[in-house]
Amino acid sequence: MGLGRNVLLLGTAIMMTACEPGPVLSVIPVPKQVEAARGSFTLDAGVGIGLADASDASLREIAELWAVPFRRGAALPFPIGSEGDIRLAVEPEATGVGAEGYRLDVRSDGISVVGTDHAGVFYGLQTLSQLMPPGTEAGIGSTSEGVEIAAVSIVDEPRFAYRGMHLDVARHFFDPDFVKRYLDLLARYKINRFHWHLTEDQGWRIEIDAYPRLMEIAAYRDETQIGHGSEEFRGDGERHGGYYTKEEIRDIVAYAKARHITVIPEIEMPGHAQAALAAYPELACTEGPFEVAKTWGVFEDIYCPYEETFVFLETVLTEVIELFPGEYIHIGGDEAPKTRWEESEYVENLMQRLGFNDVEQVQGWFIRRIERFLNDKGKRIIGWDEILEGGIAPNATVGSWRGVLGGIEASRMGHDVIMTPYSHLYFDYYQSEDRENEPFAIGGFLPLDTVYSYEPIPGPLRARDASRIIGAQANMWTEYMKTPEHVEYMLLPRMLALAEVVWSPAEKKGYEAFLGRLQWHLRRFDALGVNYRPPDR
Ligand code: ACM
């Protein structure tokens, strides 16, 4: 046992580069307060986990989840009871920090993780995992060898309540196992919102009982454009698609919940709806037929604001609500050209009836109507910043993607805002200017330091309006990402920069120090078999 431990420590020392700070000072996102202490705790097979309240099923679940990577065979290695060397407790008064915060103390005679709430305990344990040698989470460095954890006291809490990561599963479908793997990565870095982009022109990905043609027709496209959407069409000749069954969705939502992640489903309207129109052409302003899109871009065939369309969308949303217990449903609202509405006699009559003189007002009315429906069912909506045009829905939260001006305007109007500007948080953009040596991407240039430099509170906001910025989110649009490995390459390490943007106190951040901390995490990814783009330096 002693030999194994020495080998582990020696290996760690040899791999460390000169600028690398070691585990205690390598935690990402960088915590609010870290104080190194003397000595270390040895995690081995004799260790137990003690729950302050042994009848607290949520606390037990957190403990079990944390212990899983150490498992050998079927059994968890550490007994979980009311006493143990690793003490877990939810004590709102004891941490001195707010929601989702924790206090972690590692000493030679034991470890204590005290959370303001259950999420705080979960995050304290994520931090504890980061203090262990890189292989530990992959099941290497097993407890038969013993794992050394350097003594430290950490007090930590998030800067923002909304810490989001998005995944577009419509442009390319990713199976439930990968979605879970993605959620694991989010949870390790204290990201707590998963924005699941489920419907698009190129595919519909959620099972809806009332409309079977969504699964039969809208979930599949015959082939996919090779190269950019702006180029002349050349198809790959391969049928692509898939959808998540309700059972799979429930499983993923529960998986996320156990990792303190809320899933926010996005059902796009009135635009990005061509796949649904391929299945139900009667919901369009023109006759069709329509096909599930094979290429990329913004499409003119959108939902027509008929009463039948509201019946369709409200029926879909009723089924969606049953699957997602979180407070938010994302209704899209972006990139909806009004060409078809402008040419439609139905829309002309509707505008006359409603006293509108601008077709954008119809979109405002459309989204307000959907908001009312969802509010009545106890849900709130998020929309992309286009929902500011044509009269914003009164209770909507705005995702500011075209820049920060939409976010500034919305916060001044008293709306909650999630900052997600493409300039800093679009992870489909290239990570290097040397495009020849990067996987083919949509365009743009978003290197790691640009993500890291992002400040979610725009300078000109007064304190009252700034408090409306509930957080930030990065987006992963997958037009040009066909494989999990490619998604991981675009995600990492940029998501770690995002994590510091949304979690860490601004004054604790520093790009050079972050690059040093990052080394420890890249080795974790190596051990876990997770793909990433090596930083340029
Ligand atoms: C978006 O990128 N269309 C939100």
Side-chain angles (χ1 to χ4, degrees):
M1 166 172 162
L3 180 65
R5 189 188 313 162
N6 286 340
V7 167
L8 260 176
L9 284 176
L10 188 65
T12 303
I14 287 169
M15 285 189 286
M16 236 176 241
T17 58
C19 60
E20 191 179 330
V24 164
L25 297 175
S26 285
V27 174
I28 291 180
V30 63
K32 191 179 171 88
Q33 199 181 307
V34 179
E35 270 177 55
R38 292 174 68 83
S40 64
F41 178 83
T42 305
L43 184 71
D44 60 24
V47 164
I49 300 177
L51 309 180
D53 176 359
S55 68
D56 181 341
S58 303
L59 196 57
R60 184 173 292 269
E61 187 183 7
I62 289 169
E64 286 172 358
L65 199 57
W66 181 78
V68 163
F70 303 94
R71 187 167 52 197
R72 287 291 175 276
L76 290 178
F78 316 123
I80 299 174
S82 53
E83 302 287 329
D85 313 85
I86 302 178
R87 181 177 172 270
L88 307 185
V90 178
E91 291 174 8
E93 307 301 324
T95 57
V97 287
E100 303 179 273
Y102 64 90
R103 187 183 168 98
L104 166 65
D105 290 291
V106 179
R107 293 289 176 272
S108 54
D109 60 350
I111 293 176
S112 158
V113 184
V114 182
T116 304
D117 45 27
H118 287 86
V121 178
F122 179 79
Y123 291 135
L125 286 173
Q126 296 308 309
T127 297
L128 179 62
S129 293
Q130 290 190 14
L131 303 179
M132 299 184 196
T136 315
E137 296 148 297
I140 308 163
S142 76
T143 47
S144 61
E145 292 167 332
V147 173
E148 292 282 312
I149 307 173
V152 68
S153 291
I154 295 178
V155 181
D156 202 8
E157 67 180 335
R159 181 174 171 207
F160 290 102
Y162 187 109
R163 305 181 300 279
M165 195 64 231
H166 154 285
L167 181 64
D168 167 11
V169 294
R171 267 55 175 268
H172 281 99
F173 179 68
F174 295 93
D175 68 20
D177 283 348
F178 178 65
V179 175
K180 289 182 178 177
R181 188 174 155 103
Y182 195 79
L183 290 167
D184 279 333
L185 289 167
L186 271 55
R188 281 175 197 280
Y189 293 97
K190 305 183 174 91
I191 299 295
N192 68 350
R193 298 287 184 272
F194 173 52
H195 174 172
W196 204 5
H197 187 78
L198 287 165
T199 72
E200 260 302 339
D201 300 303
Q202 296 83 5
W204 182 281
R205 305 285 175 235
I206 172 170
E207 183 175 32
I208 299 292
D209 299 328
Y211 297 104
R213 288 165 65 86
L214 291 173
M215 285 74 73
E216 290 157 16
I217 293 178
Y220 298 91
R221 60 177 180 264
D222 289 338
E223 58 177 339
T224 303
Q225 164 127 25
I226 297 169
H228 282 128
S230 55
E231 292 163 19
E232 194 179 336
F233 183 81
R234 231 171 8 114
D236 65 2
E238 289 170 30
R239 184 170 151 89
H240 179 87
Y243 63 90
Y244 305 99
T245 65
K246 289 192 166 179
E247 198 180 326
E248 287 168 338
I249 288 174
R250 284 195 190 94
D251 180 47
I252 286 169
V253 168
Y255 190 91
K257 181 166 183 276
R259 287 153 185 78
H260 293 268
I261 295 170
T262 304
V263 184
I264 299 169
E266 181 178 359
I267 307 296
E268 275 264 20
M269 63 190 78
H272 288 294
Q274 196 172 298
L277 298 183
Y280 295 98
E282 62 272 25
L283 304 179
C285 290
T286 56
E287 210 167 286
F290 308 99
E291 64 171 18
V292 180
K294 301 172 190 164
T295 183
W296 317 118
V298 173
F299 295 80
E300 291 184 334
D301 290 304
I302 70 174
Y303 292 117
C304 207
Y306 301 133
E307 285 308 304
E308 291 80 355
T309 301
F310 288 102
V311 170
F312 170 82
L313 289 172
E314 291 175 4
T315 305
V316 165
L317 288 170
T318 300
E319 294 195 28
V320 169
I321 287 168
E322 284 166 11
L323 296 170
F324 296 92
E327 70 170 333
Y328 279 125
I329 305 288
H330 200 303
I331 51 74
D334 60 319
E335 297 182 325
K338 302 301 170 334
T339 328
R340 299 289 183 260
W341 288 11
E342 280 161 356
E343 293 162 356
S344 155
E345 205 172 310
Y346 178 84
V347 176
E348 192 183 327
N349 290 334
L350 180 69
M351 287 176 68
Q352 255 172 23
R353 220 164 4 104
L354 296 170
F356 294 160
N357 50 26
D358 178 353
V359 75
E360 289 304 332
Q361 290 173 288
V362 179
Q363 168 148 339
W365 170 82
F366 190 116
I367 301 291
R368 287 195 298 279
R369 192 165 160 173
I370 293 293
E371 174 175 78
R372 207 173 321 121
F373 175 80
L374 286 169
N375 284 173
D376 284 349
K377 299 218 176 294
K379 298 290 184 185
R380 301 177 64 193
I381 68 164
I382 305 178
W384 301 108
D385 59 62
E386 284 93 331
I387 67 166
L388 284 158
E389 294 156 19
I392 186 170
N395 306 312
T397 294
V398 172
S400 189
W401 75 276
R402 291 180 297 179
V404 300
L405 291 179
I408 292 172
E409 182 187 345
S411 61
R412 286 183 174 152
M413 291 165 70
H415 290 266
D416 284 349
V417 170
I418 298 150
M419 285 299 195
T420 181
Y422 66 83
S423 55
H424 291 76
L425 297 176
Y426 266 42
F427 287 2
D428 53 340
Y429 286 5
Y430 279 103
Q431 301 182 68
S432 163
E433 283 179 303
D434 178 17
R435 291 187 179 187
E436 300 294 300
N437 289 311
E438 291 292 316
F440 186 65
I442 194 164
F445 176 46
L446 182 62
L448 186 60
D449 59 341
T450 303
V451 179
Y452 196 82
S453 71
Y454 186 58
E455 167 48 52
I457 307 284
L461 280 194
R462 289 178 303 175
R464 190 190 62 196
D465 302 327
S467 71
R468 291 287 185 183
I469 311 291
I470 60 172
Q473 168 179 303
N475 298 326
M476 189 67 82
W477 301 106
T478 59
E479 284 95 331
Y480 304 100
M481 297 173 217
K482 296 181 199 293
T483 64
E485 294 73 31
H486 191 175
V487 173
E488 288 175 0
Y489 181 90
M490 302 305 269
L491 183 72
L492 303 170
R494 289 188 289 195
M495 189 187 74
L496 278 58
L498 170 73
E500 295 216 349
V501 167
V502 289
W503 177 282
S504 303
E507 66 276 10
K508 287 283 172 182
K509 284 178 63 197
Y511 188 61
E512 290 303 318
F514 171 74
L515 286 179
R517 288 194 283 285
L518 191 54
Q519 298 306 314
W520 183 246
H521 298 266
L522 301 182
R523 288 215 297 279
R524 311 188 85 74
F525 296 145
D526 289 336
L528 288 164
V530 172
N531 198 21
Y532 61 88
R533 181 185 189 278
D536 292 323
R537 63 186 175 88

